[in-house]
Amino acid sequence: MKLSDIARKVGGNLEGGDLDITGINTLLEAQPGQITFLSNPRYAKFVADTSASAIILDRKFECPTPLSIIRTDDPYLATLLTVRIFYPRPEPEIIGIHPSAIIAESAKLGSGVAVAPGAVIGQKVQLGHRVKVGAKVVIEDNVQIGDDTIIHSGAVIRHSVIIGKRVIIHPGAVIGAEGFGFAPVGDKYEKIPQVGTVIIEDDADIGANTCIDRAFLGATRIGQGVKLDNLIQVGHNVEIGPHTVIAGQTGISGSTVIGKGVMIGGQVGIVGHIEISDGMKIGAQSGVTKTFPPGTTIFGYPARPIMETKRIEASLRKLPELTKKITDLENKLKELFANKK
Amino acid sequence: MKLSDIARKVGGNLEGGDLDITGINTLLEAQPGQITFLSNPRYAKFVADTSASAIILDRKFECPTPLSIIRTDDPYLATLLTVRIFYPRPEPEIIGIHPSAIIAESAKLGSGVAVAPGAVIGQKVQLGHRVKVGAKVVIEDNVQIGDDTIIHSGAVIRHSVIIGKRVIIHPGAVIGAEGFGFAPVGDKYEKIPQVGTVIIEDDADIGANTCIDRAFLGATRIGQGVKLDNLIQVGHNVEIGPHTVIAGQTGISGSTVIGKGVMIGGQVGIVGHIEISDGMKIGAQSGVTKTFPPGTTIFGYPARPIMETKRIEASLRKLPELTKKITDLENKLKELFANKK
Amino acid sequence: MKLSDIARKVGGNLEGGDLDITGINTLLEAQPGQITFLSNPRYAKFVADTSASAIILDRKFECPTPLSIIRTDDPYLATLLTVRIFYPRPEPEIIGIHPSAIIAESAKLGSGVAVAPGAVIGQKVQLGHRVKVGAKVVIEDNVQIGDDTIIHSGAVIRHSVIIGKRVIIHPGAVIGAEGFGFAPVGDKYEKIPQVGTVIIEDDADIGANTCIDRAFLGATRIGQGVKLDNLIQVGHNVEIGPHTVIAGQTGISGSTVIGKGVMIGGQVGIVGHIEISDGMKIGAQSGVTKTFPPGTTIFGYPARPIMETKRIEASLRKLPELTKKITDLENKLKELFANKK
């Protein structure tokens, strides 16, 4: 494919000579004839050494080596689009319904549904058009799934869960397990029946081995376009607003409500029954115990507005030195008082 | 169902008029004709706005709106019991043995055992009466499971594990994987064979995608009535005492012994080879590195008695200000000394 | 087996009388006739009370009770070797290809391959000699697996992943799920196709429910002899050097490169796009945000060289007291200034 064609398709401007491009790869791994990209400034130092023949850059970066350049306002997006050009079908597709799949008679499948070997589809399940069900997936009774959703190998969708369109559920994810609800009775605990469900809205992405518990009553709700990474725990009755993104191993305790457009780092813990406001950013490994205003960036354990955490952090580094200074001050004062007597 | 009947069944007193009640829901989602509840004081502000017709309250809460009330000493328990009245069968039951289940000839199944599609039951497995095995569950050779236990879809019970009665294992849980034991030999590591097992006692509840490793020798032991949330890691040779409750994503390193009636928050990490005393409470995200006396509430990283952590926490907030004060003091002292000369 | 034979096989010296040994167990659980071991000094206090007849000890430990002793430079290794003597086959082996396994016609299986019930092996998969595939395992299309590798029950190997020889993948692990890559486009996120793969080198060990994401481009790489515990998250394009060991629930963000011989504790979080140098040690629950020199031991949140964290830690404990001291100093200074006027 001509570099000029790629530039046109990704909405960028070509600088330098036109070329035949055979593929895309990272700065260090790209070969002559391939295009590469700089979307993270951290890697700028590698640009001079790339063997690629062309590069995707932002409007300002000065290229230290004579490559053909696609200039764009958003190199990240242009890279994504270029990858799509070279990998129009990034993974093997599930095709047809494998004879080893076990599909209840009362299940209703839309047109073009594909079911991989060994998948189990329970009673009264409804699958929209072109839904893909991976190998060994379990979809329990009464689940509803919208058009074009993909459930990858080994995921478990428990009964009565509702999943929207174009959702991707990655391997090993467990959707709709019983929430962790127990009433203390004397020294023991009685299980509180979890009779609600989980609703996952359109275009959400649920990571591998991530768990989303069903609600006690009502529904645990994952909003439109939400992206959940791997090994995340979402407690019962949690609600996550649209287009919120959460990195791996984060845990959200029961009944917490997360707004829209929130960005949450990895291994964050959020207590139950609080609100995370729209547009907040939460640094990795933070422990969030209360509500902050919309748009606040917080960080730390416990989480505080980031400048506050950074100030404490800076003081902490000086703490051993500070301790010494105080001892010095005490000694000098003693001296002063001693001199006065 | 009459409200007076509900009151009687949950052991509460009816205040206000008797009514026909059609269901139970949360304060904000309940409809006219339904009963709601206030078990968490945090939600008291919503009571005035509920559309419910009746409410479960403790003995003291003054209801700001004219609802019929069930008064009880334990609203949490009364709510649980009311949910059970309206949802006597909270989830679809597995019935019979599906022809696609693969059951070794040498396995022994009690009466009323049910096995869902695609489950695998290995050689010499013993299942008690009325055990329910979910879709795609794997129960490896020589496992023993007591009466009325439920193993949900996709869980893996490795060989020779022993599980008691009325236990619930949630989807994706892995019981009895090899412990993480390696002996350094030169620059490499040799695997230490993990030849012990896991014993889970009666009435325990094991969360989705939680992992309980088998012992090196002897047994990793989960006590009676223990409740483990999702994505928990239990290392080899750990022992957890009866009626201990552990929230999601907590990790317990090898050979640590946890007492009875302990409450552990989410994302806690506990080092290996220590003891967690009976009745302790451990705050979320704590890092526990040593043993504390029975009943201690600890918190923090590293975990300390909670009042100590709170005092440090309070001082930390003032740390940047403190640093300034010390500089002031130093300057004033310099001034004093300068004046003296 | 004679104790003298065990001593010879593990390369130790026999002290005291020779005996017939019937098995091995821990200090507290060993019975008369069995051998026990002291590899962790923490348990020295239990030696006096053991019922074992013999014990494996290092060269220096003075045994408080008249047991026969195997002396060795490395009691840990000697214990491992003794366990292997008594448990030559520590777990039931998968034998033959179960008729319920679903194996694509285009898959190529080496000699002695065994496949347990219900496993799925996709198109063009290549399995080396003596590979063991557990029950309900999914191996998607185009995967290559080397000789003598074991994939335990319920693990999912996504398409095109490459796994070396003698690797062990534990139950529920997910290898090759799509990395968490999204490009923000307006208020939403567009998925970045993850068209790379995962390469796991010889002798690696991947824990239960651990997730290793495939690369965006190129490969996420797990080096030779790497040991990963349970519930670990490895992001896209991460590389882990040979003989590195990582404990449970640790998370490694995308594109981070970890050196060889690194030891990482449990629940550690490592940001993306950094380097972890060879031979480093990282304490449990640390949050690592930058690169340190080879061999550094770091700890804390954020992670710092361990002596620095310990100094801060020690000062922190005295912080409330320090705060008081400063107030005292201020008061005394005020007094001084007041006296001067």
Side-chain angles (χ1 to χ4, degrees):
Chain A
M1 169 158 302
K2 287 281 171 199
L3 185 58
S4 52
D5 289 337
I6 297 174
R8 192 172 36 78
K9 287 192 180 186
V10 307
N13 304 108
L14 178 58
E15 268 178 30
D18 202 4
L19 296 164
D20 279 317
I21 296 295
T22 59
I24 180 166
N25 214 329
T26 57
L27 283 162
L28 293 179
E29 297 191 50
Q31 301 296 315
Q34 294 189 316
I35 188 168
T36 189
F37 53 93
L38 178 68
S39 58
N40 186 334
R42 206 188 281 261
Y43 293 113
K45 59 187 173 189
F46 298 131
V47 171
D49 296 329
T50 188
S51 303
S53 301
I55 187 166
I56 298 168
L57 292 174
D58 66 18
R59 299 289 177 189
K60 292 177 295 186
F61 187 81
E62 290 189 28
C63 194
T65 174
L67 301 173
S68 289
I69 299 170
I70 294 179
R71 292 277 180 197
T72 159
D73 295 331
D74 187 345
Y76 207 52
L77 179 60
T79 301
L80 151 67
L81 296 172
T82 308
V83 171
R84 284 200 187 146
I85 290 169
F86 287 102
Y87 299 88
R89 226 192 84 192
E91 56 178 30
E93 220 172 311
I94 303 163
I95 296 167
I97 293 178
H98 195 275
S100 66
I102 304 154
I103 303 175
E105 275 189 35
S106 55
K108 284 189 188 160
L109 278 58
S111 67
V113 165
V115 185
V120 172
I121 297 178
Q123 290 175 23
K124 298 189 183 164
V125 166
Q126 295 180 35
L127 303 184
H129 302 309
R130 298 168 303 280
V131 166
K132 310 285 184 198
V133 179
K136 299 291 161 200
V137 162
V138 176
I139 300 178
E140 293 188 359
D141 297 353
N142 307 318
V143 167
Q144 296 172 38
I145 299 181
D147 297 346
D148 300 298
T149 282
I150 302 174
I151 317 285
H152 280 294
S153 301
V156 172
I157 317 296
R158 291 222 57 211
H159 74 94
S160 312
V161 163
I162 297 170
I163 298 176
K165 297 175 182 175
R166 298 174 302 281
V167 170
I168 302 177
I169 312 268
H170 291 283
V174 175
I175 315 299
E178 283 180 286
F180 196 63
F182 299 94
V185 177
D187 289 350
K188 303 181 182 181
Y189 293 87
E190 283 281 323
K191 188 176 206 72
I192 297 174
Q194 304 287 308
V195 298
T197 189
V198 174
I199 297 173
I200 298 179
E201 298 181 355
D202 297 347
D203 301 302
D205 203 294
I206 312 297
N209 282 347
T210 280
C211 298
I212 303 174
D213 281 349
R214 68 192 316 118
F216 162 43
L217 289 160
T220 303
R221 185 178 293 268
I222 309 297
Q224 195 183 349
V226 165
K227 310 300 181 191
L228 300 185
D229 199 354
N230 300 340
L231 291 164
I232 288 173
Q233 157 67 1
V234 179
H236 53 173
N237 290 87
V238 165
E239 299 183 21
I240 304 181
H243 307 300
T244 280
V245 175
I246 306 182
Q249 296 179 318
T250 282
I252 304 158
S253 303
S255 299
T256 278
V257 176
I258 297 177
K260 62 185 177 190
V262 175
M263 296 179 71
I264 304 181
Q267 296 185 334
V268 169
I270 305 180
V271 299
H273 300 276
I274 68 168
E275 207 175 310
I276 303 295
S277 307
D278 293 349
M280 282 185 65
K281 291 188 173 63
I282 306 180
Q285 288 191 321
S286 293
V288 187
T289 57
K290 61 179 188 186
T291 297
F292 292 86
T296 315
T297 297
I298 62 174
F299 177 62
Y301 170 65
R304 301 184 174 90
I306 189 159
M307 289 316 299
E308 199 177 322
T309 294
K310 282 194 170 169
R311 265 196 305 270
I312 289 173
E313 179 56 31
S315 313
L316 260 183
R317 268 200 309 275
K318 297 182 203 146
L319 192 53
E321 184 194 334
L322 226 61
T323 310
K324 262 192 204 163
K325 280 189 183 176
I326 291 174
T327 312
D328 283 358
L329 285 170
E330 288 181 320
N331 291 336
K332 282 187 186 160
L333 262 183
K334 266 186 211 154
E335 205 186 310
L336 274 177
F337 276 95
N339 288 349
K340 285 184 68 174
K341 280 171 199 170
Chain B
M1 169 159 301
K2 285 283 170 199
L3 184 58
S4 52
D5 289 336
I6 298 173
R8 193 172 36 77
K9 287 190 180 185
V10 307
N13 304 107
L14 177 57
E15 269 179 30
D18 201 4
L19 294 165
D20 279 317
I21 296 296
T22 60
I24 180 165
N25 214 329
T26 56
L27 283 162
L28 292 178
E29 297 191 51
Q31 300 296 314
Q34 294 188 317
I35 187 168
T36 189
F37 53 94
L38 179 67
S39 57
N40 185 334
R42 205 188 283 261
Y43 293 114
K45 59 186 171 189
F46 297 132
V47 171
D49 296 329
T50 188
S51 302
S53 300
I55 187 166
I56 298 168
L57 292 174
D58 66 18
R59 298 290 177 190
K60 290 177 295 184
F61 187 81
E62 290 190 27
C63 193
T65 172
L67 301 172
S68 289
I69 299 170
I70 294 179
R71 292 280 179 193
T72 160
D73 294 331
D74 187 346
Y76 208 51
L77 179 60
T79 301
L80 151 66
L81 296 172
T82 308
V83 171
R84 284 200 186 145
I85 291 169
F86 286 104
Y87 299 88
R89 226 193 83 193
E91 56 180 30
E93 221 172 312
I94 304 163
I95 295 168
I97 293 177
H98 195 274
S100 65
I102 304 154
I103 304 175
E105 273 190 34
S106 55
K108 283 189 189 160
L109 277 57
S111 67
V113 165
V115 185
V120 172
I121 297 177
Q123 290 174 24
K124 298 190 182 161
V125 167
Q126 295 180 36
L127 303 185
H129 302 309
R130 297 168 303 277
V131 166
K132 310 287 183 196
V133 178
K136 299 291 162 198
V137 162
V138 177
I139 301 177
E140 293 188 358
D141 297 352
N142 307 319
V143 167
Q144 296 173 37
I145 299 182
D147 298 345
D148 300 298
T149 282
I150 302 173
I151 316 286
H152 280 293
S153 301
V156 172
I157 317 296
R158 291 223 55 211
H159 73 94
S160 313
V161 163
I162 297 169
I163 298 177
K165 298 176 181 174
R166 296 173 303 278
V167 170
I168 302 176
I169 312 268
H170 291 281
V174 174
I175 314 298
E178 282 180 286
F180 196 62
F182 300 93
V185 177
D187 288 350
K188 304 182 182 179
Y189 292 88
E190 284 281 324
K191 188 176 205 73
I192 298 174
Q194 305 286 307
V195 299
T197 191
V198 174
I199 297 173
I200 299 179
E201 298 181 354
D202 298 347
D203 301 301
D205 204 294
I206 312 297
N209 282 346
T210 280
C211 298
I212 303 174
D213 281 350
R214 66 191 318 116
F216 163 42
L217 289 160
T220 303
R221 185 178 291 270
I222 309 297
Q224 194 183 349
V226 165
K227 310 300 181 190
L228 300 185
D229 199 354
N230 300 341
L231 291 164
I232 288 172
Q233 158 66 1
V234 179
H236 53 173
N237 290 87
V238 164
E239 299 183 21
I240 303 181
H243 307 299
T244 280
V245 176
I246 305 182
Q249 298 179 318
T250 282
I252 304 157
S253 303
S255 300
T256 278
V257 176
I258 297 179
K260 62 185 177 190
V262 175
M263 296 179 71
I264 303 180
Q267 297 184 334
V268 169
I270 306 180
V271 300
H273 299 278
I274 67 167
E275 207 176 307
I276 303 295
S277 308
D278 293 349
M280 282 185 65
K281 290 188 174 66
I282 305 180
Q285 289 191 321
S286 293
V288 187
T289 57
K290 60 179 189 186
T291 297
F292 292 86
T296 316
T297 296
I298 63 174
F299 178 62
Y301 170 66
R304 300 184 174 90
I306 190 158
M307 289 315 298
E308 200 178 320
T309 294
K310 283 195 169 169
R311 266 196 305 270
I312 290 174
E313 178 56 31
S315 314
L316 259 182
R317 267 200 309 273
K318 295 181 205 147
L319 191 54
E321 182 194 336
L322 227 60
T323 309
K324 262 192 205 164
K325 280 188 182 176
I326 291 172
T327 311
D328 282 358
L329 284 170
E330 288 181 319
N331 291 337
K332 282 186 186 160
L333 261 183
K334 266 185 211 155
E335 203 185 312
L336 275 177
F337 277 95
N339 288 350
K340 283 182 72 173
K341 283 173 196 167
Chain C
M1 168 159 302
K2 286 281 171 199
L3 185 58
S4 52
D5 290 336
I6 298 174
R8 192 173 36 77
K9 288 191 180 185
V10 306
N13 303 107
L14 178 57
E15 269 179 29
D18 201 4
L19 294 166
D20 279 317
I21 296 295
T22 60
I24 180 166
N25 213 330
T26 56
L27 283 162
L28 293 178
E29 296 191 51
Q31 300 297 314
Q34 294 188 317
I35 188 168
T36 189
F37 53 94
L38 179 68
S39 57
N40 186 334
R42 207 189 281 263
Y43 293 113
K45 60 185 172 189
F46 298 131
V47 172
D49 295 330
T50 188
S51 303
S53 300
I55 187 166
I56 298 168
L57 292 175
D58 66 18
R59 299 288 177 190
K60 291 177 296 185
F61 187 82
E62 291 189 27
C63 193
T65 173
L67 301 173
S68 290
I69 298 171
I70 294 178
R71 291 278 180 196
T72 160
D73 294 331
D74 188 344
Y76 207 51
L77 179 59
T79 301
L80 150 66
L81 295 172
T82 308
V83 171
R84 284 200 185 144
I85 292 169
F86 286 103
Y87 299 88
R89 226 192 83 192
E91 55 179 31
E93 221 172 311
I94 303 163
I95 296 168
I97 293 177
H98 195 275
S100 65
I102 305 154
I103 303 175
E105 275 188 34
S106 55
K108 284 188 188 161
L109 278 58
S111 67
V113 165
V115 185
V120 173
I121 297 177
Q123 290 174 23
K124 299 188 183 165
V125 166
Q126 295 179 35
L127 303 184
H129 302 309
R130 297 169 303 279
V131 166
K132 309 286 183 198
V133 179
K136 299 290 161 200
V137 162
V138 177
I139 300 178
E140 293 189 358
D141 297 353
N142 307 319
V143 168
Q144 296 172 39
I145 299 181
D147 297 346
D148 299 299
T149 282
I150 302 173
I151 316 284
H152 280 293
S153 302
V156 172
I157 317 296
R158 291 222 56 210
H159 74 94
S160 313
V161 163
I162 297 170
I163 298 177
K165 297 174 182 177
R166 297 173 302 279
V167 170
I168 302 177
I169 312 267
H170 290 282
V174 175
I175 315 299
E178 282 180 286
F180 196 62
F182 300 93
V185 178
D187 288 349
K188 303 181 182 180
Y189 293 88
E190 284 281 324
K191 187 176 207 74
I192 298 174
Q194 304 287 307
V195 299
T197 189
V198 175
I199 297 173
I200 299 179
E201 299 181 355
D202 297 347
D203 301 302
D205 203 293
I206 311 297
N209 282 346
T210 280
C211 298
I212 303 174
D213 281 350
R214 68 192 316 116
F216 162 43
L217 289 160
T220 303
R221 186 178 292 267
I222 309 297
Q224 194 183 349
V226 165
K227 310 300 181 192
L228 300 185
D229 198 354
N230 300 340
L231 291 164
I232 287 173
Q233 157 67 0
V234 179
H236 53 174
N237 291 86
V238 164
E239 299 183 21
I240 304 180
H243 307 301
T244 281
V245 175
I246 305 182
Q249 296 180 319
T250 282
I252 304 158
S253 302
S255 299
T256 278
V257 177
I258 297 178
K260 62 185 178 190
V262 176
M263 296 178 71
I264 303 181
Q267 296 185 335
V268 168
I270 305 180
V271 299
H273 301 276
I274 67 168
E275 207 176 307
I276 303 296
S277 308
D278 293 349
M280 282 185 65
K281 290 189 174 65
I282 306 180
Q285 289 191 321
S286 293
V288 187
T289 58
K290 60 179 188 188
T291 297
F292 293 86
T296 317
T297 297
I298 63 174
F299 177 61
Y301 171 65
R304 300 184 174 89
I306 190 160
M307 289 315 299
E308 200 178 320
T309 294
K310 282 195 171 169
R311 268 197 303 270
I312 289 173
E313 178 56 30
S315 314
L316 259 183
R317 268 201 308 275
K318 296 181 203 148
L319 191 53
E321 184 194 335
L322 227 60
T323 310
K324 261 191 205 164
K325 280 188 182 176
I326 292 173
T327 311
D328 282 358
L329 285 168
E330 288 181 320
N331 291 337
K332 281 184 186 162
L333 262 183
K334 266 186 210 154
E335 205 185 312
L336 274 177
F337 277 95
N339 288 349
K340 284 182 69 172
K341 283 172 198 170

